[in-house]
Amino acid sequence: MSKQISRREFAKRTIVAGMGTLGISPVLSCVKKQNQLPGDNMRLGFVTYLWGKDWDLPTVIANCAEARFAGVELRTKHAHGVEPTLNKAQRAEVAKRFADSPVTCVGYGSNQEFHSPDPQILEKNIRDSFELVKLCHDIGASGLKVKPNTLPKEIAPEKTIEQIGLSLNKIGKFAADYGQQIRVEVHGRITSELPNMKAIFEHVDQPNVGMCWNCNGEDLLPPGLEGNFNLVKDRFGNTVHVRELNSDNYPYQELFNLFVAMDYQGWILLEARTDPEDKVTAMKEQFALFNTMIENARSAKG
């Protein structure tokens, strides 16, 4: 598959990618079908961290299909072996495996970060992000997950915040040529606080750069979950990371209420932290909880 696209296709992709910042998924249909209910376009997917970290790619796809997870975000450095070192034929094989299955390759979860005060480290992270964007394109994914990780103590916070935002613009501009969204995970010491994420995105002007809500404890800091959610919801991309939905340390039903109320049009990706013996059975339990929470949210919206 060539990276070259027509001007018309490029414009189409850029517009569709821009919908991600409004919570409208370029992976999913952006036109509501007749009689659809709020939440109908929220789809459950899987992050290979940690439950799938030891699975090869055929096993990842087979287990997601069995558990009725519609998509997967492939995490870097995992046993599935999807890395930038894959050659053209190997990348095509990954794309074909997904195309021949009911499971969508939602994206790639990288560890790229852009807070370093060292210009050489920063530039390397940006260059490596470019290569991962190419990988996403070649394997049939729709976006790359990146993350801020901290604000260095020795640098004025506003300077690092601006640096991160401008770096995201560079990557987003590059990614638009490949039809990819850049998904910025709410992550890291200090940077996981939602006012700081909002400040980063005040420097982001590329329409295909969106925020990936990450269900952190910091979400519950004053003004609380709803207040922090509303602070940044206009910048959401088309992926959300959640942990086990039956966890008692995060108000997942309240979160689902908020997503259904805004009729979010994207992927809810399970990034589990526990270690159940039978992970496929555990995935099936999460699938059932996902659907129950959407129904509960509709009732609450009422």
Side-chain angles (χ1 to χ4, degrees), residues 200-211:
I200 288 169
F201 269 79
E202 287 172 354
H203 298 282
V204 174
D205 57 21
Q206 292 297 305
N208 61 325
V209 178
M211 191 180 301

PDB file of all heavy atoms in Angstrom, residues 200-211:
ATOM      1  N   ILE A 200      -1.607  22.040  27.566  1.00  0.00           N
ATOM      2  CA  ILE A 200      -0.859  21.491  26.435  1.00  0.00           C
ATOM      3  C   ILE A 200      -1.659  21.656  25.150  1.00  0.00           C
ATOM      4  O   ILE A 200      -1.136  22.105  24.120  1.00  0.00           O
ATOM      5  CB  ILE A 200      -0.526  20.005  26.682  1.00  0.00           C
ATOM      6  CG1 ILE A 200       0.556  19.869  27.768  1.00  0.00           C
ATOM      7  CG2 ILE A 200      -0.054  19.331  25.389  1.00  0.00           C
ATOM      8  CD1 ILE A 200       0.767  18.448  28.258  1.00  0.00           C
ATOM      9  N   PHE A 201      -2.945  21.335  25.207  1.00  0.00           N
ATOM     10  CA  PHE A 201      -3.767  21.380  24.002  1.00  0.00           C
ATOM     11  C   PHE A 201      -4.098  22.792  23.556  1.00  0.00           C
ATOM     12  O   PHE A 201      -4.546  22.996  22.416  1.00  0.00           O
ATOM     13  CB  PHE A 201      -5.026  20.527  24.185  1.00  0.00           C
ATOM     14  CG  PHE A 201      -4.831  19.113  23.729  1.00  0.00           C
ATOM     15  CD1 PHE A 201      -4.163  18.195  24.543  1.00  0.00           C
ATOM     16  CD2 PHE A 201      -5.251  18.695  22.484  1.00  0.00           C
ATOM     17  CE1 PHE A 201      -3.956  16.890  24.121  1.00  0.00           C
ATOM     18  CE2 PHE A 201      -5.042  17.400  22.044  1.00  0.00           C
ATOM     19  CZ  PHE A 201      -4.391  16.492  22.858  1.00  0.00           C
ATOM     20  N   GLU A 202      -3.848  23.763  24.402  1.00  0.00           N
ATOM     21  CA  GLU A 202      -4.000  25.146  23.954  1.00  0.00           C
ATOM     22  C   GLU A 202      -2.940  25.521  22.925  1.00  0.00           C
ATOM     23  O   GLU A 202      -3.095  26.512  22.198  1.00  0.00           O
ATOM     24  CB  GLU A 202      -3.951  26.091  25.159  1.00  0.00           C
ATOM     25  CG  GLU A 202      -5.227  26.024  25.998  1.00  0.00           C
ATOM     26  CD  GLU A 202      -5.148  26.787  27.297  1.00  0.00           C
ATOM     27  OE1 GLU A 202      -4.048  27.303  27.623  1.00  0.00           O
ATOM     28  OE2 GLU A 202      -6.176  26.860  28.007  1.00  0.00           O
ATOM     29  N   HIS A 203      -1.881  24.719  22.827  1.00  0.00           N
ATOM     30  CA  HIS A 203      -0.839  24.931  21.815  1.00  0.00           C
ATOM     31  C   HIS A 203      -1.010  24.007  20.614  1.00  0.00           C
ATOM     32  O   HIS A 203      -0.198  24.056  19.686  1.00  0.00           O
ATOM     33  CB  HIS A 203       0.542  24.703  22.442  1.00  0.00           C
ATOM     34  CG  HIS A 203       0.868  25.644  23.550  1.00  0.00           C
ATOM     35  ND1 HIS A 203       1.288  26.952  23.335  1.00  0.00           N
ATOM     36  CD2 HIS A 203       0.822  25.494  24.902  1.00  0.00           C
ATOM     37  CE1 HIS A 203       1.499  27.551  24.492  1.00  0.00           C
ATOM     38  NE2 HIS A 203       1.228  26.692  25.467  1.00  0.00           N
ATOM     39  N   VAL A 204      -2.023  23.158  20.644  1.00  0.00           N
ATOM     40  CA  VAL A 204      -2.221  22.176  19.572  1.00  0.00           C
ATOM     41  C   VAL A 204      -3.267  22.712  18.596  1.00  0.00           C
ATOM     42  O   VAL A 204      -4.396  22.999  18.992  1.00  0.00           O
ATOM     43  CB  VAL A 204      -2.693  20.821  20.140  1.00  0.00           C
ATOM     44  CG1 VAL A 204      -3.045  19.857  19.011  1.00  0.00           C
ATOM     45  CG2 VAL A 204      -1.600  20.215  21.030  1.00  0.00           C
ATOM     46  N   ASP A 205      -2.863  22.840  17.322  1.00  0.00           N
ATOM     47  CA  ASP A 205      -3.801  23.320  16.308  1.00  0.00           C
ATOM     48  C   ASP A 205      -4.036  22.325  15.181  1.00  0.00           C
ATOM     49  O   ASP A 205      -4.793  22.597  14.253  1.00  0.00           O
ATOM     50  CB  ASP A 205      -3.342  24.661  15.731  1.00  0.00           C
ATOM     51  CG  ASP A 205      -1.934  24.611  15.135  1.00  0.00           C
ATOM     52  OD1 ASP A 205      -1.451  23.509  14.797  1.00  0.00           O
ATOM     53  OD2 ASP A 205      -1.312  25.689  15.002  1.00  0.00           O
ATOM     54  N   GLN A 206      -3.395  21.165  15.248  1.00  0.00           N
ATOM     55  CA  GLN A 206      -3.611  20.149  14.219  1.00  0.00           C
ATOM     56  C   GLN A 206      -4.901  19.389  14.519  1.00  0.00           C
ATOM     57  O   GLN A 206      -5.056  18.834  15.608  1.00  0.00           O
ATOM     58  CB  GLN A 206      -2.428  19.178  14.168  1.00  0.00           C
ATOM     59  CG  GLN A 206      -1.138  19.812  13.657  1.00  0.00           C
ATOM     60  CD  GLN A 206      -1.272  20.302  12.217  1.00  0.00           C
ATOM     61  OE1 GLN A 206      -1.637  19.558  11.327  1.00  0.00           O
ATOM     62  NE2 GLN A 206      -0.964  21.575  12.008  1.00  0.00           N
ATOM     63  N   PRO A 207      -5.841  19.325  13.565  1.00  0.00           N
ATOM     64  CA  PRO A 207      -7.150  18.726  13.850  1.00  0.00           C
ATOM     65  C   PRO A 207      -7.119  17.223  14.075  1.00  0.00           C
ATOM     66  O   PRO A 207      -8.088  16.665  14.597  1.00  0.00           O
ATOM     67  CB  PRO A 207      -7.970  19.076  12.602  1.00  0.00           C
ATOM     68  CG  PRO A 207      -6.960  19.258  11.521  1.00  0.00           C
ATOM     69  CD  PRO A 207      -5.764  19.855  12.194  1.00  0.00           C
ATOM     70  N   ASN A 208      -6.036  16.558  13.691  1.00  0.00           N
ATOM     71  CA  ASN A 208      -5.962  15.104  13.876  1.00  0.00           C
ATOM     72  C   ASN A 208      -5.181  14.721  15.129  1.00  0.00           C
ATOM     73  O   ASN A 208      -4.763  13.574  15.275  1.00  0.00           O
ATOM     74  CB  ASN A 208      -5.335  14.429  12.651  1.00  0.00           C
ATOM     75  CG  ASN A 208      -3.909  14.894  12.393  1.00  0.00           C
ATOM     76  OD1 ASN A 208      -3.587  16.052  12.631  1.00  0.00           O
ATOM     77  ND2 ASN A 208      -3.063  14.011  11.905  1.00  0.00           N
ATOM     78  N   VAL A 209      -5.008  15.662  16.055  1.00  0.00           N
ATOM     79  CA  VAL A 209      -4.389  15.380  17.359  1.00  0.00           C
ATOM     80  C   VAL A 209      -5.488  15.457  18.414  1.00  0.00           C
ATOM     81  O   VAL A 209      -6.112  16.505  18.596  1.00  0.00           O
ATOM     82  CB  VAL A 209      -3.259  16.374  17.683  1.00  0.00           C
ATOM     83  CG1 VAL A 209      -2.669  16.067  19.066  1.00  0.00           C
ATOM     84  CG2 VAL A 209      -2.171  16.320  16.617  1.00  0.00           C
ATOM     85  N   GLY A 210      -5.763  14.336  19.079  1.00  0.00           N
ATOM     86  CA  GLY A 210      -6.819  14.290  20.074  1.00  0.00           C
ATOM     87  C   GLY A 210      -6.333  13.715  21.386  1.00  0.00           C
ATOM     88  O   GLY A 210      -5.285  13.062  21.453  1.00  0.00           O
ATOM     89  N   MET A 211      -7.085  13.938  22.428  1.00  0.00           N
ATOM     90  CA  MET A 211      -6.721  13.486  23.767  1.00  0.00           C
ATOM     91  C   MET A 211      -7.333  12.118  24.050  1.00  0.00           C
ATOM     92  O   MET A 211      -8.489  11.861  23.719  1.00  0.00           O
ATOM     93  CB  MET A 211      -7.208  14.507  24.799  1.00  0.00           C
ATOM     94  CG  MET A 211      -6.670  14.307  26.203  1.00  0.00           C
ATOM     95  SD  MET A 211      -7.312  15.576  27.372  1.00  0.00           S
ATOM     96  CE  MET A 211      -6.736  17.103  26.617  1.00  0.00           C
TER      97      MET A 211
END
